[in-house]
Amino acid sequence: MREHTADRTDTPAPAELRGDCGSCFGLCCVALPFARSADFAVDKDAGTPCANLRTDHRCGIHATLRERGFSGCTVYDCFGAGQRVSQVTFGGVDWRGGPPERGRGMFDVFPVVRQLHELLWYLTEALTLPAARPLHADLRRTLADTERLAGGTPGELAALDVAAHRQRVNVLLLRTSELVRAGARGRKKNRRNADLMGARLRGADLAGADLRGAYLIAADLTGADLRGADLIGADLRDAELTDADLTGAFFLTQPQVNAARGGPGTRLPDSVTRPVHWTAGG
Ligand code: SF4
């Protein structure tokens, strides 16, 4: 969470869809709940500041998050929701020192805006995919709708049925996926929502596959061919991507990549960057 994006090299995603911790009031470190697990060393309720969050909204253990049991923080990205809620929705007025309801308002709308920003990420990427050209007008319209919703007032955002909007966007993203994958070579396997936890997929041919929502936790994808695969919502925590080829894979986000394992031989699409911990022994 706090500051981990500063470790990255440049990414082609628009700046407003990348977390800018320096412009945020530490919202992810307060608004979100943690459950004690391999990703978080402690339990924390939603709306309660993490004990490691300093008063300047920086993380007090940023340099040693993984060693201290907070690897979940190094994986997370808000897609730019934090700076929007802090600087735009709430006009740059800090929750610290203010009335409790201001803080509660920020913490309540942050997850809503985060979901909308994630949708903006997918829609922005869809508009870069040449095979999706027949849908570009619809994609642009939906992008504008989503942007308008994300720019709502605190009250409008709190009342928004974000799940219903997600569903509408998803219909369009599914059509995009079909167009893009139709151009991929091979059998284009359907593994949508498949339970592939711990699966041995070393060297597997998954080019152009539909891996939407697939559970690939700790799957061995060493050397797998994932070119042109749809990876939206696939759970890649601890998936082994060493020497895998993800060139042209789409709807893959930085948090998914951050949660996986990989190395210098992993080929990634241009939409994401290589996590620093892949080369730092993490
Ligand atoms: S450990 Fe650091 S990055 Fe993680 S929630 Fe706490 S303050 Fe934020």
Side-chain angles (χ1 to χ4, degrees):
M1 298 187 190
R2 300 296 303 161
E3 300 177 339
H4 75 275
T5 50
D7 289 339
R8 298 188 193 145
T9 56
D10 266 355
T11 166
E16 65 272 19
L17 298 182
R18 283 183 276 142
D20 174 9
C21 298
S23 301
C24 173
F25 299 138
L27 298 185
C28 61
C29 305
V30 185
L32 306 179
F34 306 160
R36 191 178 187 139
S37 63
D39 294 329
F40 296 105
V42 296
D43 289 317
K44 184 186 90 56
D45 291 332
T48 304
C50 173
N52 297 316
L53 185 64
R54 302 188 320 207
T55 53
D56 63 357
H57 299 305
R58 294 183 178 272
C59 173
I61 60 166
H62 172 66
T64 54
L65 280 166
R66 287 188 163 255
E67 296 87 323
R68 303 276 289 266
F70 287 85
S71 61
C73 301
T74 69
V75 164
Y76 184 81
D77 192 294
C78 72
F79 297 99
Q83 67 257 32
R84 185 197 285 263
V85 173
S86 298
Q87 302 301 332
V88 182
T89 318
F90 284 84
V93 183
D94 194 349
W95 55 271
R96 284 191 195 273
E101 54 272 21
R102 186 198 301 154
R104 274 199 298 274
M106 279 189 190
F107 310 144
D108 286 350
V109 302
F110 170 71
V112 175
V113 177
R114 202 253 185 190
Q115 288 193 62
L116 293 169
H117 271 227
E118 185 180 0
L119 295 175
L120 289 172
W121 168 284
Y122 295 134
L123 291 163
T124 302
E125 183 182 7
L127 282 163
T128 69
L129 302 171
R133 196 159 285 127
L135 297 174
H136 275 193
D138 283 346
L139 286 164
R140 269 195 291 273
R141 220 175 359 256
T142 308
L143 183 75
D145 283 349
T146 308
E147 178 58 41
R148 182 180 51 74
L149 292 174
T153 64
E156 288 167 344
L157 287 161
L160 180 66
D161 185 349
V162 71
H165 185 66
R166 267 194 101 98
Q167 267 183 352
R168 282 194 291 277
V169 175
N170 194 42
V171 170
L172 195 51
L173 297 179
L174 270 167
R175 289 167 61 201
T176 301
S177 175
E178 281 159 13
L179 286 176
V180 174
R181 289 184 304 102
R185 62 163 192 82
R187 286 179 49 218
K188 307 170 187 106
K189 292 174 181 154
N190 184 353
R191 294 286 185 272
R192 191 181 297 182
N193 298 320
D195 181 354
L196 297 168
M197 284 195 262
R200 293 181 195 165
L201 294 166
R202 189 173 272 257
D205 177 6
L206 292 166
D210 181 351
L211 286 160
R212 301 185 128 241
Y215 296 92
L216 287 158
I217 300 168
D220 183 3
L221 288 155
T222 303
D225 185 353
L226 288 152
R227 287 177 292 171
D230 179 354
L231 284 159
I232 197 166
D235 194 334
L236 292 168
R237 281 177 289 168
D238 289 326
E240 183 54 77
L241 294 174
T242 295
D243 296 333
D245 190 351
L246 288 87
T247 308
F250 59 100
F251 298 154
L252 176 69
T253 64
Q254 196 65 50
Q256 284 172 294
V257 176
N258 292 347
R261 297 174 183 274
T266 308
R267 300 185 70 183
L268 290 170
D270 293 338
S271 52
V272 293
T273 58
R274 191 172 304 277
V276 169
H277 58 266
W278 281 11
T279 50

